[in-house]
């Protein structure tokens, strides 16, 4: 209502009673509200005020680093972004700079407190990444900032192991020499993660605790050792009677983990202790299905063939036992029983004893090998006194150069003997030959006799793997 | 006519499928799958063409029949309805367990229609999934092309776009040169197999290209590629902060474009058994803060430092 209408209305309002005035006021207010509602409905709906989108700090910092946006990185750091934030993979902005050869942002990050030795979930440091990519200037910056030259990643590689570029490798190795880093120290650092786990296992064993305890996903220490290639840890667990057939929640056995992470030595070890090379996961995957590394696939193939051969020989062994039973009619019962028992218990004893004691020949091992010789003698049916004499001489020779590889081939040839019985002295001579070959195959760069693999294999790596493979093939041929 | 289905029972059997191949066909029969499709269709039809949803929500990219990897996503983030999900399409083709994948997702959609959202991908179109694995799988495991056809009827009702908290526009493929307002997306017709060319085809097929300005022909042979300038322009015009899409495999499972105005999300690790890519999902919390969860190609985490 406009003003003039209100003024004109006043005399009439003055004549109203109080109650009539109140009623009129209510009517007017109701009308007022209705008109306001109508006006508001006629208006276009207001734009909603919505919360703006933001990305988490680690997402923003990594994204700006990836785009090489120096100004944005600097702004984020000035806003107190933590330079050590990382994504789910553990990748930090410093890793990203190493991968992208971004020196400018790397220097900025280091200046603001980035951890030069940050490790991602595969234990790679920025120096691993820079060495692998052959970004020589980044390598120099990282070394200057105190990078750990001996950091070991999940594959057991130090930065210099995965550097294929000569000039960059020179920078790293020169710095290692300048810091007085010796080969024995390198070996010690390389083996540190495995040694730590082995010490833990031994402590648990001494305390009488379970060595087959499970993680929430059902995995055990043996799964972890098999995945990481921790040979000594796995050997320890197996000798403490942890089953090689133990399954996690996905029905992965240790042999699946070893196949998946390309640990051929571990696969062989597990199978020696009764692991199943044909085992299937819940998804129906065999070790061969899970393996993507060609060298490891070859090892699995050989084990599959060996397994097939052993199954056929299982009948042969039983036949042999039946024969020995027949001989009971003509020989003393004691001798027959001894013959029947020896093949299995003696071989098992040899395997366990030799794994436990790798530092050299001991009387126990000499005795074990003599038992092996006895078994061979039974098969070959040759003269007793002559064989004993020969084997003793050979054992003396072996004492000079024992190594793990010798023991491995010992078992391998032991299995082959079931197929092709040979005289003991002939077999022992081949063992000596293997020992000589093993020494030559030791890779120069790595102090460990166990083969290391690079995350990104280069030509050199393939070549070295090929050499190792050829050596093993030669050894097998010699044995056969 | 309204179809009835025991969703809980069907979901239980689907979740117990641990092996590829025969196990599914012995525990779930074709009639049940057809009923599941029919009910899912009615749920899609009852919801808008532009799904407008609120955080917190997990945004997932391509799955491509990788059933065990789909289950990994639920294992890691939580199952519906505890967690809200928006999937950006491409549930079938290429992988080995298409039927388990799409049926489990339809079951979640039926049971939790306000917590579980699915957009259509280009592989949910008959011309594509006829060729790239889904048709073959329906035929091989259930001896039925009719089953495949019934899936197509449901796919035709799936929405093409989502809008999260009014700030994140989601689609499977990418933007369209014809897109001017959000109302166009709200009014997209269904059921439809989007004709070529159309806004619908672009939403399913377009790709960003770092080296392009404006719009250019897509080397896929369908739709366009677009540059960073297009993304910036669309975000400004539609008053949004981010475009989330899938459609392309990316090494870390997610990848930004146009200075964090667009992100590609891909949720099939070790895609096709050939790529060594990680997968990722994007988590939008109640305060509209985004983070990414990554899934390595090797699911086992037995390694320790």
């Amino acid at each position: 209502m406009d003003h003039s209408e209100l003024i004109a209305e006043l005399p009439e309002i003055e004549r109203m009673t109080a109650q009539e005035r109140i009623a009129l006021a209510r009517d007017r207010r109701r009308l007022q509200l209705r008109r306001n509602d109508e006006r508001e409905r006629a208006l276009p709906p207001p734009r909603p005020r919505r919360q703006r989108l933001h990305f988490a700090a680690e997402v923003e910092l990594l994204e700006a680093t990836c785009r090489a946006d120096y100004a944005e990185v600097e702004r984020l750091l000035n806003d107190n972004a933590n330079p050590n934030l990382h994504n789910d993979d553990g990748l930090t902005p410093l890793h990203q700079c190493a991968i992208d050869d971004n020196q400018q942002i790397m220097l900025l990050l280091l200046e603001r407190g980035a951890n030069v030795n940050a490790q991602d979930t595969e234990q790679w440091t920025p120096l691993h990444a820079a060495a692998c990519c052959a970004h020589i200037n980044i390598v120099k910056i990282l070394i200057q900032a105190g990078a750990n030259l001996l950091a070991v990643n999940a594959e057991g590689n130090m930065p210099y192991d995965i550097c294929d570029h000569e000039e960059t490798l020179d920078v790293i190795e020169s710095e290692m020499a300048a810091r007085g880093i010796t080969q024995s120290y390198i070996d010690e650092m390389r083996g540190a993660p495995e040694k730590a786990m082995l010490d833990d296992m031994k402590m648990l064993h001494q305390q009488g605790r379970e060595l087959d305890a499970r993680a929430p996903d059902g995995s055990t220490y043996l799964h972890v050792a098999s995945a990481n290639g921790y040979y000594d840890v796995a050997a320890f667990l197996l000798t403490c009677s942890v089953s090689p057939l133990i399954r996690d929640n996905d029905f992965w056995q240790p042999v699946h983990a070893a196949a998946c992470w390309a640990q051929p030595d571990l696969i062989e070890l597990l199978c020696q202790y009764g692991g199943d090379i044909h085992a299937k996961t819940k998804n129906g995957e065999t070790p061969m299905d899970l393996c993507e590394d060609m060298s490891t696939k070859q090892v699995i193939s050989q084990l599959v063939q060996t397994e097939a051969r052993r199954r056929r020989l299982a009948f042969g062994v039983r036949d042999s036992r039946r024969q020995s039973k027949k001989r009971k009619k003509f020989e003393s019962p004691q001798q027959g029983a001894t013959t029947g028992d020896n093949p299995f218990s003696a071989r098992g004893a040899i395997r366990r004893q030799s794994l436990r004691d790798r530092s050299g020949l001991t009387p126990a091992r000499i005795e074990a090998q003599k038992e092996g010789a006895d078994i061979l003698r039974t098969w070959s049916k040759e003269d007793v006194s002559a064989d004993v004499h020969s084997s003793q001489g050979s054992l003396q020779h072996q004492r000079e150069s024992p190594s793990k590889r010798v023991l491995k081939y010992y078992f391998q040839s032991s299995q082959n003997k079931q197929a092709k019985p040979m005289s003991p002295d002939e077999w022992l001579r081949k063992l000596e030959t293997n020992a000589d070959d093993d020494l030559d195959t030791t890779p120069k760069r790595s102090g460990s006799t166990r083969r290391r693999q690079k995350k990104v294999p280069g030509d050199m790596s393939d070549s070295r793997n090929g050499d190792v493979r050829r050596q093993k093939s030669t050894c097998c041929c010699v044995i056969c | 006519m309204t179809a009835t289905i025991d969703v809980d029972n069907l979901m239980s059997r689907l979740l117990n499928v641990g092996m590829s191949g025969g196990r599914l066909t012995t525990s779930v029969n074709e009639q049940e799958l057809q009923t599941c499709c029919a009910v899912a269709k009615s749920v899609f039809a009852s919801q808008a063409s532009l799904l407008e949803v609120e955080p917190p929500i997990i945004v997932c990219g391509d799955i491509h029949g990788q059933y065990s990897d789909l289950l990994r996503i639920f294992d890691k983030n939580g199952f519906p309805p505890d967690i809200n999900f928006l999937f950006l399409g491409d549930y079938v083709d290429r992988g080995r367990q298409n039927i388990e994948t799409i049926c489990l997702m339809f079951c979640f959609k039926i049971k939790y229609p306000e917590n579980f959202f699915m957009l259509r991908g280009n592989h949910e179109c008959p011309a594509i999934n006829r060729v790239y694995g889904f048709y073959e799988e329906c035929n091989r495991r259930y001896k039925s092309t009719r089953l495949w056809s019934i899936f197509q009827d449901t796919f035709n009702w799936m929405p093409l776009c989502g809008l999260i908290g009014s700030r994140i526009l989601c689609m499977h493929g990418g933007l369209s040169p014809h897109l001017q307002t959000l109302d166009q997306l709200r009014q997209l017709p269904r059921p439809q197999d989007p004709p070529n060319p159309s806004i619908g085809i672009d939403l399913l097929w377009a790709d960003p290209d770092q080296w392009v300005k404006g719009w250019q022909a897509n080397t896929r042979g369908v739709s366009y590629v677009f540059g960073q300038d297009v993304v910036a322009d669309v975000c400004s015009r539609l008053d949004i902060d981010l475009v989330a899409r899938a459609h392309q495999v990316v090494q870390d499972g997610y990848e930004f474009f146009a200075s964090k105005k667009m992100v590609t999300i891909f949720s099939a690790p070790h895609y096709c058994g050939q790529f060594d890519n990680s997968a990722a999902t994007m988590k939008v919390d109640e305060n509209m803060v985004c983070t990414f969860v990554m899934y390595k190609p090797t699911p086992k985490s037995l390694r320790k430092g």
Side-chain angles (χ1 to χ4, degrees):
Chain A
M1 298 177 70
D2 61 17
H3 183 72
S4 59
E5 289 179 19
L6 288 170
I7 294 296
E9 198 175 56
L10 279 175
E12 184 176 351
I13 290 173
E14 283 177 357
R15 284 193 293 274
M16 287 176 176
T17 64
Q19 284 178 348
E20 286 172 339
R21 284 186 194 166
I22 290 171
L24 179 64
R26 283 208 193 94
D27 289 345
R28 292 288 164 76
R29 180 58 180 161
R30 197 176 301 114
L31 181 63
Q32 198 176 41
L33 289 174
R34 191 181 327 119
R35 285 179 181 165
N36 189 63
D37 285 345
E38 287 166 1
R39 189 181 73 249
E40 284 203 342
R41 274 194 293 271
L43 287 174
R47 174 167 289 178
R49 253 181 271 109
R50 302 308 309 252
Q51 203 162 10
R52 298 300 293 253
L53 178 75
H54 294 94
F55 291 97
E58 68 267 17
V59 173
E60 282 207 303
L61 187 55
L62 264 177
E63 190 270 344
T65 304
C66 282
R67 274 190 298 113
D69 188 341
Y70 183 95
E72 175 76 356
V73 171
E74 188 173 41
R75 182 188 70 75
L76 290 166
L77 292 173
N78 288 341
D79 285 348
N80 293 317
N82 181 347
N84 294 309
L85 293 170
H86 55 80
N87 68 9
D88 264 11
D89 268 346
L91 191 89
T92 69
L94 213 61
H95 284 99
Q96 193 65 55
C97 289
I99 292 165
D100 295 338
D101 198 6
N102 192 324
Q103 298 166 44
Q104 197 183 24
I105 294 185
M106 172 167 278
L107 288 167
L108 176 64
L109 289 163
L110 289 170
E111 177 193 332
R112 300 300 180 91
N115 176 12
V116 70
N117 292 312
Q119 287 179 294
D120 70 5
T121 55
E122 295 287 323
Q123 307 302 307
W124 281 53
T125 64
L127 186 59
H128 280 100
C132 186
C133 297
H135 291 152
I136 190 167
N137 291 320
I138 295 286
V139 166
K140 290 175 179 174
I141 291 171
L142 290 167
I143 288 175
Q144 182 68 29
N148 178 9
L149 300 175
L150 303 181
V152 179
N153 71 9
E155 280 99 21
N157 287 321
M158 294 172 174
Y160 84 110
D161 290 319
I162 57 177
C163 184
D164 291 326
H165 181 248
E166 286 301 324
E167 289 175 43
T168 309
L169 183 56
D170 281 348
V171 170
I172 299 174
E173 291 185 332
S174 298
E175 183 64 20
M176 292 171 82
R179 296 187 189 181
I181 294 171
T182 62
Q183 185 64 44
S184 60
Y185 187 62
I186 290 173
D187 295 340
E188 183 183 327
M189 291 303 295
R190 189 189 306 284
E194 179 176 6
K195 183 178 185 304
M197 186 174 182
L198 182 58
D199 289 344
D200 290 344
M201 296 298 99
K202 288 180 173 177
M203 188 182 304
L204 289 179
H205 186 54
Q206 286 169 14
Q207 295 171 359
R209 306 259 285 278
E210 299 288 344
L211 291 179
D212 52 3
R214 292 179 183 272
D217 64 355
S219 63
T220 66
Y221 300 123
L222 188 54
H223 285 95
V224 173
S226 302
N228 284 276
Y230 293 163
Y231 192 97
D232 292 351
V233 175
F236 177 80
L237 293 169
L238 290 164
T239 56
C240 293
S241 300
V242 174
S243 168
L245 301 172
I246 195 161
R247 301 199 292 193
D248 74 1
N249 297 347
D250 295 317
F251 289 18
W252 277 49
Q253 297 182 16
V255 72
H256 291 111
C260 181
W261 277 282
Q263 310 290 2
D265 290 355
L266 271 290
I267 295 174
E268 289 176 333
L269 177 69
L270 290 161
C271 288
Q272 284 165 15
Y273 273 80
D276 180 5
I277 197 63
H278 302 287
K280 292 195 175 186
T281 67
K282 192 176 278 185
N283 285 337
E285 299 146 315
T286 63
M288 183 65 89
D289 294 333
L290 292 169
C291 182
E292 297 182 0
D293 174 65
M294 291 312 299
S295 308
T296 309
K297 275 182 182 287
Q298 288 168 23
V299 169
I300 295 174
S301 286
Q302 289 171 13
L303 287 166
V304 167
Q305 291 165 25
T306 302
E307 171 70 16
R309 201 180 307 140
R310 182 143 47 95
R311 282 182 180 168
R312 287 195 297 270
L313 289 176
F315 296 100
V317 171
R318 278 200 283 273
D319 289 343
S320 175
R321 221 186 320 202
R322 275 200 297 273
Q323 265 190 329
S324 70
K325 284 180 183 176
K326 286 180 183 176
R327 278 196 226 107
K328 275 186 184 178
K329 295 179 182 179
F330 311 100
E331 295 170 356
S332 72
Q334 209 169 22
Q335 188 176 353
T338 303
T339 304
D341 290 342
N342 273 351
F344 304 100
S345 62
R347 203 174 303 132
I350 291 168
R351 189 176 293 155
R352 287 174 189 278
Q353 184 65 40
S354 61
L355 285 171
R356 248 192 297 267
D357 185 355
R358 269 185 293 263
S359 58
L361 293 180
T362 64
R365 269 189 54 206
I366 294 173
E367 187 176 12
Q369 287 180 6
K370 196 177 286 189
E371 286 182 339
D374 289 344
I375 294 167
L376 292 171
R377 187 174 63 250
T378 302
W379 289 332
S380 65
K381 300 179 181 178
E382 290 187 21
D383 182 75
V384 169
S385 57
D387 292 339
V388 167
H389 200 81
S390 299
S391 64
Q392 276 179 347
S394 300
L395 290 173
Q396 290 295 325
H397 177 82
Q398 270 188 63
R399 190 169 292 144
E400 295 170 18
S401 60
S403 77
K404 184 168 63 65
R405 295 280 175 97
V406 174
L407 301 177
K408 185 182 294 184
Y409 294 124
Y410 180 91
F411 298 126
Q412 197 165 6
S413 57
S414 171
Q415 286 176 351
N416 286 328
K417 285 294 179 293
Q418 301 179 51
K420 280 188 169 183
M422 283 185 276
S423 68
D425 58 335
E426 190 179 350
W427 171 75
L428 289 168
R429 270 199 301 276
K430 295 194 187 308
L431 195 58
E432 294 164 26
T433 306
N434 294 343
D436 293 337
D437 288 341
D438 280 340
L439 294 178
D440 294 336
T441 62
T442 303
K444 181 186 272 185
R445 181 177 291 178
S446 165
S448 169
T449 57
R450 236 169 287 138
R451 182 164 43 86
R452 304 291 180 176
Q453 283 187 336
K454 300 185 179 185
K455 191 166 189 177
V456 182
D459 291 338
M460 190 179 293
S461 173
D462 291 340
S463 171
R464 191 164 57 207
N465 289 346
D467 288 342
V468 174
R469 183 55 46 203
R470 277 195 292 274
Q471 290 291 346
K472 286 191 175 180
S473 300
T474 304
C475 296
C476 292
C477 290
V478 170
I479 292 167
C480 294
Chain B
M1 173 193 296
T2 58
T4 60
I5 185 173
D6 186 346
V7 171
D8 291 325
N9 187 281
L10 180 53
M11 280 176 60
S12 174
R13 280 176 282 150
L14 287 166
L15 287 168
N16 280 325
V17 168
M19 298 176 72
S20 305
R23 181 75 69 84
L24 176 75
T25 53
T26 57
S27 61
V28 181
N29 67 47
E30 181 182 348
Q31 183 56 50
E32 292 180 282
L33 297 179
Q34 293 186 16
T35 304
C36 180
C37 287
V39 179
K41 179 166 72 169
S42 64
V43 175
F44 288 128
S46 73
Q47 296 187 330
S49 286
L50 174 63
L51 294 173
E52 305 196 48
V53 301
E54 297 299 320
I57 196 162
I58 307 285
V59 184
C60 310
D62 292 23
I63 300 293
H64 279 305
Q66 298 187 196
Y67 188 56
S68 58
D69 294 313
L70 174 66
L71 297 182
R72 279 178 72 194
I73 292 173
F74 295 136
D75 279 340
K76 194 156 188 179
N77 294 280
F79 277 80
D82 297 333
I83 305 292
N84 302 321
F85 285 90
L86 171 62
F87 286 81
L88 302 181
D90 279 13
Y91 314 107
V92 298
D93 284 343
R94 304 204 191 271
R96 298 169 63 193
Q97 291 177 277
N98 292 267
I99 298 176
E100 292 94 322
T101 299
I102 189 65
C103 285
L104 179 66
M105 298 180 83
F106 279 175
C107 286
F108 279 128
K109 185 61 193 173
I110 292 164
K111 187 173 172 65
Y112 307 114
E114 299 301 328
N115 301 99
F116 192 89
F117 299 97
M118 299 168 72
L119 302 186
R120 188 178 195 174
N122 62 308
H123 282 264
E124 280 77 57
C125 295
I128 303 302
N129 65 51
R130 170 68 180 78
V131 175
Y132 285 95
F134 188 52
Y135 177 86
E136 184 273 333
E137 182 172 325
C138 289
N139 227 359
R140 170 169 52 84
R141 297 171 89 183
Y142 283 95
K143 309 294 187 289
S144 177
T145 56
R146 172 165 167 73
L147 175 63
W148 175 80
S149 295
I150 287 171
F151 274 109
Q152 308 314 309
D153 293 340
T154 304
F155 291 160
N156 282 345
W157 275 99
M158 296 174 85
L160 297 182
C161 289
L163 188 62
I164 301 173
S166 297
R167 306 306 305 176
I168 307 173
L169 180 63
C170 308
M171 76 286 294
H172 176 70
L175 300 170
S176 170
H178 310 293
L179 177 60
Q180 300 299 323
T181 71
L182 293 176
D183 280 340
Q184 286 172 279
L185 303 179
R186 294 188 177 101
Q187 291 154 21
L188 287 171
R190 288 182 299 154
Q192 190 182 58
D193 182 11
N196 185 18
S198 66
I199 288 185
I201 277 286
D202 299 332
L203 293 167
L204 293 171
W205 281 94
D207 293 301
D209 189 322
Q210 189 176 346
W211 313 112
V212 154
K213 255 182 167 284
W215 300 91
Q216 288 184 18
N218 196 322
T219 52
R220 294 186 195 250
V222 187
S223 187
Y224 303 89
V225 292
F226 52 90
Q228 305 187 52
D229 54 325
V230 168
V231 178
D233 180 57
V234 167
C235 286
S236 174
R237 189 177 349 115
L238 301 183
D239 189 31
I240 57 177
D241 293 324
L242 177 71
V243 177
R245 46 91 66 172
H247 199 36
Q248 289 179 302
V249 58
V250 288
Q251 182 61 33
D252 291 326
Y254 75 97
E255 189 174 279
F256 282 112
F257 184 74
S259 298
K260 303 204 296 289
K261 287 189 168 57
M262 174 175 270
V263 65
T264 299
I265 302 168
F266 197 83
S267 300
H270 200 18
Y271 175 50
C272 296
Q274 293 169 15
F275 296 78
D276 70 340
N277 64 294
S278 293
T281 55
M282 180 171 79
K283 176 179 179 178
V284 188
D285 76 8
E286 56 271 25
N287 298 314
M288 292 294 282
V289 175
C290 282
T291 54
F292 296 89
V293 176
M294 292 166 73
Y295 310 76
K296 286 174 147 353
T298 304
K300 309 296 287 182
S301 55
L302 290 165
R303 308 194 77 125
K304 293 174 185 172

